[in-house]
Amino acid sequence: GDDNAIELVLNSSQPGVIYQLFKDDISNPVMAELTGTGELLSWFPVSQFGEGNYFVMAHFADDPTCSATMNGNIAVDEMVLPTALLSGSNTICESFCTTLAFDVIADLPFELTYTANGIVEPPLNFDPSNPDYSIEVCPTEQTIYEIVSVNYTVHPFCEATDISGSYTIYVDPLPIAETGPGGIICETEGFHFGSAVVENTTNWIWEVHEGAGYFDNPNWETPVFYPEPVAEITDMTIRLVAFGQAECEGTSDTSFAVIQVYPQPQAFAGNNDSTCSNTPYTLNEATAYHYSSLQWEVISGFGTIDSPTIEKPTYTPHPDDEGTTVTLQLTAFGEGPCDQL
């Protein structure tokens, strides 16, 4: 494809002798005759006349009939210039890979240089004996690929002049799920996942992974979780799953949060009873659960409680209590976030 690629040289010449270059036969003279100088002679450029077998004939200037063909023929083969094309587009999911195929026509092994979003990538080497001119690419963002150059890596080292097009790969983002931080609640409260985030999807679900309870709406992005009653301090694990869409369909992202649930305090002062005015009364039926502290109080009456912060104290009546109803109250103060009962 290069009209200025070949120079043919005759390594010596004789003064007074006329030299003519031919292609294939004497009916195809190439360029003008040259007169010998005693030095070498050359014909340039020869490639403009195309491929063929080139040879030189010589004759004396004063006797054209006395001629001879110089030893040796030179065969010139014309190599087709490589061509390269990129075209089209594709969409993949983030973190996935795809094939980038270069449409190249070439007769010899070649080196191909390309760019990704304008950045030159390391050159690639291909051989027409294995005409799979493709590579695997794994872009993380929308990327435009373009061919910069294609050139043969062996003689005659031709370089492509016909290079065109580009190939665009679009990238769908993976789904993102983030519950936000967990927390501590009383069993009678709800926990609002107000800082939860779901991105790159329209499909997600909230689930109770460990524990028991329910959501006001498990399809909301920021729902409220309500635990079932617990018998002791219990860690409940909540899971948020976001499902991929478009090219990321089949993928998912999962986030967990731990909600620590405290049981509501419980207090029972005991059944109503009667006693003598001069007899201390121990509150043996009193019980309390899930509390951080207790407090007994005399609501009506004149007597005293010996240890008002224990579960089963003793009430000592006052003489003025005789013939009256004494009311005692037991208050259990909850642990952690739970209110008193």
Side-chain angles (χ1 to χ4, degrees), residues 114-284:
Y114 69 103
T115 61
N117 283 345
I119 299 175
V120 178
E121 300 294 324
L124 306 171
N125 286 279
F126 296 103
D127 193 319
S129 64
N130 179 23
D132 178 13
Y133 308 144
S134 64
I135 59 172
E136 184 179 67
V137 291
C138 310
T140 58
E141 61 181 0
Q142 178 180 327
T143 302
I144 299 175
Y145 296 89
E146 295 179 294
I147 300 174
V148 175
S149 64
V150 175
N151 60 275
Y152 290 145
T153 55
V154 296
H155 184 79
F157 302 101
C158 302
E159 183 173 349
T161 57
D162 184 7
I163 297 174
S164 62
S166 64
Y167 193 89
T168 302
I169 297 179
Y170 302 94
V171 180
D172 285 343
L174 287 165
I176 296 175
E178 179 55 58
T179 62
I184 301 174
I185 60 172
C186 190
E187 66 181 7
T188 58
E189 299 175 319
F191 183 86
H192 182 212
F193 285 93
S195 59
V197 174
V198 178
E199 295 181 356
N200 308 327
T201 183
T202 57
N203 185 17
W204 62 86
I205 189 70
W206 287 89
E207 300 172 323
V208 181
H209 183 63
E210 293 180 357
Y214 64 94
F215 299 91
D216 55 351
N217 190 327
N219 295 314
W220 285 350
E221 185 172 343
T222 57
V224 177
F225 169 68
Y226 295 96
E228 296 292 340
V230 295
E232 59 184 356
I233 299 174
T234 302
D235 287 343
M236 297 191 181
T237 302
I238 306 303
R239 177 171 60 189
L240 171 61
V241 183
F243 301 97
Q245 58 187 10
E247 291 300 319
C248 291
E249 184 176 355
T251 66
S252 63
D253 187 35
T254 303
S255 180
F256 295 89
V258 176
I259 307 300
Q260 192 171 64
V261 181
Y262 278 71
Q264 183 80 351
Q266 299 178 20
F268 177 61
N271 295 308
N272 294 336
D273 203 356
S274 60
T275 186
C276 297
S277 61
N278 59 353
T279 303
Y281 183 86
T282 300
L283 296 153
N284 290 318

Side-chain angles (χ1 to χ4, degrees), residues 57 80 94 119 141 226 250 292:
M57 293 189 67
V80 177
E94 180 185 356
I119 299 175
E141 61 181 0
Y226 295 96
S292 59

Side-chain angles (χ1 to χ4, degrees), residues 242-329:
F243 301 97
Q245 58 187 10
E247 291 300 319
C248 291
E249 184 176 355
T251 66
S252 63
D253 187 35
T254 303
S255 180
F256 295 89
V258 176
I259 307 300
Q260 192 171 64
V261 181
Y262 278 71
Q264 183 80 351
Q266 299 178 20
F268 177 61
N271 295 308
N272 294 336
D273 203 356
S274 60
T275 186
C276 297
S277 61
N278 59 353
T279 303
Y281 183 86
T282 300
L283 296 153
N284 290 318
E285 291 184 347
T287 55
Y289 303 96
H290 316 312
Y291 60 86
S292 59
S293 63
L294 299 173
Q295 183 65 52
W296 282 94
E297 296 178 89
V298 179
I299 301 302
S300 63
F302 302 98
T304 58
I305 299 173
D306 62 347
S307 299
T309 58
I310 67 173
E311 185 176 311
K312 303 179 188 300
T314 298
Y315 176 74
T316 302
H318 187 276
D320 292 342
D321 287 337
E322 186 175 352
T324 66
T325 298
V326 174
T327 301
L328 305 179
Q329 177 178 284

